[in-house]
Amino acid sequence: MHQPLPKWASLSVLGLLLHGPALAQTLRQGFESTAADTWGFTATPATYNFPSLSDIWAPVANVGTTGSSGVQAVPAAGALLWGMQDLQNPTNNDQPTWHYLDFAPVAIQSGSAAANQVSFRFFSNGFDSGSSADSLAYTVVFDNGTTWPATKTYTQLSKDTRAYQTVTVPVPATATHVRLRLAAKQNGNDDWAAWDEVELGRSTTAVVPSLRLAAATAVVNENAGTVSIPVSITNPSATGATTVEVALVPGLGTATAGPDFTYAATQTLTFPAGATASQTLTIPVSEDALAEGAEYFTLRLQNPTNATLTAGATEVLVYINDNDGIAPARTRNLVLNRLASYQNGASGTNSAEIVAHDPSTQRLYVANSVGGKLDILSLPASGVPVAVGSIDIKPYGGINSVAVRGGVVACAIENADPQQNGSVVFFDQNGTFLKQVTVGAMPDMITFSPNGQLLLTANEGEPKSDYSVDPEGSVSVIDFSGGVAGVTQASVTTVGFAGYNGQAAALRQQGIRLYGGTTAAPSTVAQDLEPEYVAVSSDSRTAYVTIQENNAIATLDLTTKQFTALRPVGYQDHSQAGFALDASDQTPEILMANWPIKGMRQPDAIAAFEVAGQRYLLTANEGDAREYSALTEAVRLGDAAYPLDATRFPQASLLKNAQALGRLNVTNRLGDTDGDGDFDEIYAFGGRSFSIFNATSGALVHDSGDLLERLTSTEATYGAIFNASNSTGNPSRKNRSDDKGPEPEGVTTGVIRDTVYAFVSLERIGGVAVFNLNDPAQPRLVQYVNNRSLTSGTGDQGPEGIVFISGSNSPTGQPLLLLANEVSSTVSVYGIQTRGPVTATASAHHAAPLQLYPNPTQQGRVQLSRPVSGTLHDALGRPVRTLRKASQLETAGLAPGVYVLRAEDGASSKLVVR
């Protein structure tokens, strides 16, 4: 362990320097433990070296390893270096903690031999830039004190050099003392760094004053009146003044000079001779009454006199944070009240991804993939689930999804070898095995058609990590018209995308992402397309399939079993009003700003619904990246491996700053429009929104844009954990801002009285947002609810599956909403209460009673007590029959179950089909 030189030793060294021959003042530290190491230092914490744990904070011969993950650091000179690896060590209870080397204060000699610079060499390998923010930094102080500045003011060093770099800091001519602190905070034994050859000495080259901006970003509230931009100087001239211009930079900015801030002309800052204090530029900021996102503008240092500009510290992006933003208005004509949250086992060893409800038995079936089980619950009149039993699914494979109809439970099962064909396994209501059929590879979602005649699976067909095996994505359609007794392997038709092979270029031109496989063996179109989720039209004739990674939706004709359309879903333009986003996890403020980037919608769940005879599709634009050993498309925008085109992005260094877009995850498989190796367009993952499409044409009808982030950022309670992840630990605000924000994952729709509602679950922050869809082009926010702790990893976390239960099919008599929360392994039950009058039919409350007979019926004609115009809805609230002044209803072809006939005059009646 190195200790500071004794006081007498330091004085002796200085005495030799001061009174010996005309030698330049020099102190050095090479960590060799020899007489040549003359600049004493203190290590905090004390040195340690645990080779078995890869934990190092000590002088060593080398640090790290050489291989696919990095380059080993060896001494820059001599036999030893100061090594750093996995500083989250046993001595501090495995918490990431600042580590320091504090080099003792040294009096600066006068005259021509006086030291005029501090230098050291450093090496870094893969220090992380995550939310825990690994740090490698330094600070030089020109006094003989014992306290140090705050760590946030230290100068950061490159976190991944993989070779030694030299840092040189000039000593001002007016300085009487100098001391140095080297600092690091890091965890993870696959990252390491080293310092070596620390020296205080004299350069024979004249040292010129250097100017820099104190930070690359600044944030001010619009009602602050002014914003201050400090510019600092090192090694000021003792004989002459230094000046620099500060110019407003066009191109990178959304704030407007005049209405938003005042900056009429380029301004000049002057540093008097010998002055060490920073000069501050003060800019007036205007307050307006507009509710808008955070706006920003850019300033640049230019044309210095008697000084140089510090590379990488000449531009600053100034955010003006709006203070007029209010929470989006909510109609509140519908209220969700949580009745219960049932946990089907300890989180971490269990999960609850998908839940299915059977109104004929009032049972719930939960896909528990982590636990390898199908959990069975009953749903009594209280709305509080009660455990019935669990079925071990592992003998069949891995469960991904579950659907139920009339007491028959169908599970989508992934093969133990995921690239091989999967299966659908049927059980009775108690979990007794009935039969099993084979479907495509990796069935990820399963659903019954509204009429109960078909069962469909979305077979994702993901490749092995090295792409040695890449199955085709597909949809399997199972004929269920004869019930489970009639299902055989011959009932299964698996529909793939081979018909699109050879059309890759044309599909890419349309906006469909095709990029899978390796350079030597690219995927075919059929292999590249990976179905995620299926929705079926109310007439059970058409299926709509999201293909998430490919940013597309396919249309499947269920009569011919052929795909009839493959359409792109497009991109968000985050530079446009209404499409702002909070893009960094490194800013303490929520900064909803517009940026020159696009968001790939990449929908996960999809639902089909109808309004005024027109069919629409509702998508949850979650986003997803391919991350395999042979193909990893996600990269931080700030990484050196993601070069931005200098013409398209002249302020690339600012965009790459961690407090702007540097932390944002983007794809490296899209955006190089001219093929020159840099990126001309920036594409981020997910839309952070929901979209509504015309099901017939594929045209975009509505996109919610930045509404979900505005909603959660301004929510009175849950704004405190805005964009927090769904991990089991304590929530960390904004730690998903650099990824995909709230990540809308699940959607469903339901009809309550005269209104079509959408329910959109948010996978990360949690909870569900409710919207009125009666005008699909302008959905109205109704409510947002969540049940997650703000301070601990408890409550409902990670909602994925979402189910609407109509009042007629509910054991409580009121509509219910179910959320399957994957991370907390809970199923939450919400009761839905309506408020206010029915607006579509003023006479609804005075309509004549409506009776149906025979009821229950054995699939035949049902007589109505009076002529009716209206719609028959299934257990999920989806329309399955339309009546026009009818006195009878044909039920042939309807699957067994509970239905509700809703008349246009407001009357309704339940119908049981056996």
Side-chain angles (χ1 to χ4, degrees):
M1 175 177 176
H2 289 261
Q3 298 292 340
L5 287 174
K7 184 175 182 179
W8 63 267
S10 296
L11 292 174
S12 296
V13 172
L14 287 174
L16 290 172
L17 292 169
L18 291 170
H19 302 295
L23 300 175
Q25 181 181 11
T26 302
L27 292 177
R28 68 177 304 279
Q29 179 62 252
F31 308 109
E32 307 296 335
S33 297
T34 69
D37 291 334
T38 53
W39 197 355
F41 69 92
T42 301
T44 306
T47 60
Y48 57 84
N49 189 350
F50 302 102
S52 62
L53 300 175
S54 299
D55 290 358
I56 298 173
W57 173 250
V60 289
N62 57 67
V63 63
T65 59
T66 295
S68 60
S69 62
V71 177
Q72 184 184 59
V74 298
L80 297 175
L81 51 77
W82 188 275
M84 294 163 278
Q85 185 168 3
D86 198 10
L87 302 184
Q88 183 178 345
N89 69 83
T91 67
N92 57 30
N93 298 318
D94 282 345
Q95 296 300 312
T97 303
W98 280 103
H99 287 51
Y100 306 112
L101 294 188
D102 292 340
F103 289 81
V106 176
I108 298 300
Q109 182 177 327
S110 61
S112 61
N116 63 8
Q117 68 178 27
V118 174
S119 65
F120 61 90
R121 304 192 70 185
F122 77 98
F123 179 111
S124 57
N125 189 98
F127 264 42
D128 295 325
S129 299
S131 58
S132 59
D134 288 357
S135 184
L136 193 65
Y138 74 92
T139 185
V140 181
V141 180
F142 300 106
D143 64 28
N144 62 347
T146 57
T147 60
W148 297 91
T151 52
K152 65 182 180 180
T153 65
Y154 293 1
T155 301
Q156 291 290 318
L157 298 170
S158 175
K159 298 179 182 180
D160 194 22
T161 65
R162 308 200 180 200
Y164 275 101
Q165 293 188 3
T166 300
V167 173
T168 301
V169 180
V171 176
T174 55
T176 59
H177 292 77
V178 63
R179 53 195 173 100
L180 166 68
R181 167 173 274 192
L182 300 177
K185 184 178 71 169
Q186 176 261 342
N187 59 74
N189 59 22
D190 55 349
D191 309 332
W192 53 86
W195 285 309
D196 207 352
E197 298 303 294
V198 182
E199 186 170 359
L200 169 68
R202 179 160 188 85
S203 168
T204 58
T205 304
V207 179
V208 179
S210 179
L211 302 174
R212 62 173 294 137
L213 288 158
T217 59
V219 180
V220 61
N221 289 330
E222 70 170 359
N223 62 349
T226 61
V227 59
S228 298
I229 308 298
V231 179
S232 62
I233 187 170
T234 57
N235 196 44
S237 172
T239 59
T242 292
T243 66
V244 67
E245 293 179 350
V246 187
L248 182 65
V249 182
L252 184 60
T254 57
T256 303
D260 298 317
F261 65 98
T262 302
Y263 206 84
T266 297
Q267 301 187 36
T268 300
L269 298 179
T270 300
F271 296 80
T276 59
S278 296
Q279 295 290 317
T280 299
L281 178 69
T282 301
I283 303 171
V285 175
S286 304
E287 182 177 13
D288 57 34
L290 300 175
E292 53 197 352
E295 298 176 299
Y296 54 90
F297 61 93
T298 304
L299 299 173
R300 175 187 295 152
L301 301 183
Q302 63 185 28
N303 299 328
T305 62
N306 192 26
T308 60
L309 300 179
T310 302
T314 61
E315 292 184 324
V316 59
L317 186 146
V318 183
Y319 289 99
I320 303 175
N321 210 5
D322 184 64
N323 67 339
D324 300 302
I326 56 176
R330 313 180 195 196
T331 65
R332 300 187 187 277
N333 59 315
L334 174 152
V335 177
L336 271 63
N337 296 306
R338 189 177 64 89
L339 304 180
S341 291
Y342 175 88
Q343 190 169 38
N344 63 337
S347 59
T349 55
N350 290 274
S351 60
E353 291 98 316
I354 303 297
V355 61
H357 170 250
D358 188 353
S360 69
T361 61
Q362 293 301 346
R363 285 189 170 181
L364 305 180
Y365 298 88
V366 182
N368 181 346
S369 68
V370 174
K373 296 181 291 185
L374 171 68
D375 296 314
I376 306 174
L377 315 174
S378 68
L379 189 62
S382 65
V384 180
V386 178
V388 173
S390 292
I391 308 303
D392 185 5
I393 291 293
K394 292 187 290 293
Y396 308 100
I399 185 169
N400 285 335
S401 186
V402 60
V404 61
R405 186 86 176 204
V408 177
V409 184
C411 297
I413 305 295
E414 184 177 299
N415 198 301
D417 180 354
Q419 281 67 48
Q420 300 304 309
N421 285 336
S423 61
V424 171
V425 181
F426 295 93
F427 301 93
D428 71 9
Q429 67 181 39
N430 299 311
T432 302
F433 175 81
L434 298 175
K435 60 179 55 177
Q436 180 175 355
V437 294
T438 300
V439 293
M442 210 174 291
D444 200 43
M445 185 269 180
I446 188 168
T447 187
F448 280 96
S449 61
N451 64 9
Q453 304 294 295
L454 300 172
L455 186 62
L456 296 90
T457 62
N459 308 315
E460 193 163 10
E462 289 183 348
K464 291 189 73 170
S465 187
D466 62 359
Y467 266 98
S468 58
V469 181
D470 186 6
E472 295 184 355
S474 61
V475 174
S476 292
V477 183
I478 303 173
D479 184 349
F480 200 74
S481 59
V484 69
V487 172
T488 66
Q489 190 59 46
S491 306
V492 182
T493 302
T494 296
V495 187
F497 297 90
Y500 291 97
N501 286 342
Q503 302 180 38
L507 293 172
R508 289 191 188 100
Q509 187 66 29
Q510 295 171 27
I512 295 173
R513 301 182 70 220
L514 298 169
Y515 59 101
T518 64
T519 301
S523 300
T524 65
V525 174
Q527 291 172 319
D528 205 296
L529 297 176
E530 298 178 358
E532 187 79 23
Y533 208 96
V534 178
V536 183
S537 62
S538 60
D539 61 9
S540 300
R541 294 180 180 178
T542 309
Y544 303 93
V545 186
T546 57
I547 312 177
Q548 187 171 28
E549 289 83 356
N550 307 95
N551 208 37
I553 294 175
T555 303
L556 176 62
D557 187 317
L558 294 177
T559 302
T560 64
K561 310 292 194 301
Q562 297 290 322
F563 286 110
T564 58
L566 179 60
R567 297 187 176 107
V569 295
Y571 308 99
Q572 314 288 61
D573 185 347
H574 289 297
S575 69
Q576 298 299 310
F579 291 88
L581 76 164
D582 186 67
S584 174
D585 62 346
Q586 299 292 297
T587 60
E589 304 89 351
I590 296 173
L591 298 170
M592 295 291 297
N594 293 109
W595 293 100
I597 59 178
K598 296 180 180 179
M600 302 176 287
R601 289 194 173 99
Q602 297 183 303
D604 187 332
I606 185 171
F609 67 97
E610 295 181 4
V611 172
Q614 175 61 55
R615 184 179 304 153
Y616 299 92
L617 303 176
L618 171 70
T619 63
N621 302 327
E622 177 203 24
D624 199 10
R626 284 177 170 156
E627 298 183 86
Y628 306 118
S629 61
L631 189 162
T632 299
E633 66 168 316
V635 62
R636 301 285 188 191
L637 189 147
D639 286 357
Y642 189 79
L644 293 174
D645 181 80
T647 301
R648 177 66 181 85
F649 303 107
Q651 282 82 41
S653 61
L654 270 186
L655 288 177
K656 284 176 168 284
N657 184 271
Q659 295 194 341
L661 299 181
R663 296 278 302 143
L664 186 67
N665 272 305
V666 295
T667 179
N668 59 16
R669 297 297 169 130
L670 191 63
D672 181 6
T673 58
D674 53 13
D676 63 353
D678 59 30
F679 289 89
D680 311 279
E681 296 178 338
I682 302 170
Y683 289 88
F685 297 99
R688 306 190 182 201
S689 67
F690 66 86
S691 295
I692 296 174
F693 297 92
N694 181 300
T696 304
S697 66
L700 179 67
V701 175
H702 174 81
D703 189 281
S704 66
D706 56 23
L707 174 63
L708 296 178
E709 277 192 292
R710 287 194 294 111
L711 169 64
T712 53
S713 66
T714 56
E715 215 281 332
T717 299
Y718 291 95
I721 57 170
F722 167 76
N723 278 357
S725 188
N726 57 359
S727 55
T728 54
N730 296 344
S732 178
R733 181 175 178 264
K734 279 174 55 74
N735 71 337
R736 297 298 295 183
S737 288
D738 57 326
D739 292 289
K740 293 169 282 186
E743 292 187 32
E745 165 112 354
V747 292
T748 192
T749 61
V751 178
I752 302 176
R753 298 202 296 186
D754 60 345
T755 303
V756 180
Y757 290 98
F759 303 89
V760 182
S761 64
L762 307 182
E763 181 181 8
R764 293 296 175 173
I765 188 174
V768 60
V770 187
F771 297 87
N772 179 327
L773 295 183
N774 277 0
D775 181 357
Q778 294 182 316
R780 290 183 295 162
L781 174 65
V782 177
Q783 189 183 13
Y784 170 71
V785 294
N786 201 343
N787 177 49
R788 176 184 182 180
S789 171
L790 302 179
T791 58
S792 65
T794 57
D796 297 320
Q797 295 170 266
E800 184 163 341
I802 183 168
V803 171
F804 171 78
I805 302 175
S806 65
S808 59
N809 291 321
S810 166
T812 69
Q814 68 176 152
L816 299 177
L817 187 74
L818 309 179
L819 286 181
N821 303 286
E822 179 180 10
V823 175
S824 57
S825 199
T826 56
V827 175
S828 44
V829 182
Y830 287 87
I832 303 175
Q833 295 178 335
T834 56
R835 297 166 57 180
V838 177
T839 58
T841 310
S843 61
H845 296 294
H846 308 288
L850 175 61
Q851 297 177 348
L852 290 70
Y853 52 90
N855 189 8
T857 181
Q858 297 284 347
Q859 291 197 346
R861 289 186 178 178
V862 173
Q863 302 299 316
L864 312 183
S865 59
R866 58 182 176 84
V868 163
S869 294
T871 308
L872 183 70
H873 296 265
D874 69 2
L876 298 179
R878 298 177 294 194
V880 295
R881 294 281 193 276
T882 300
L883 306 183
R884 287 288 178 266
K885 298 181 179 180
S887 298
Q888 58 186 13
L889 168 66
E890 178 58 58
T891 64
L894 293 179
V898 179
Y899 297 79
V900 176
L901 177 60
R902 292 189 177 90
E904 290 180 351
D905 60 10
S908 64
S909 185
K910 182 185 297 185
L911 172 66
V912 178
V913 178
R914 291 178 175 171

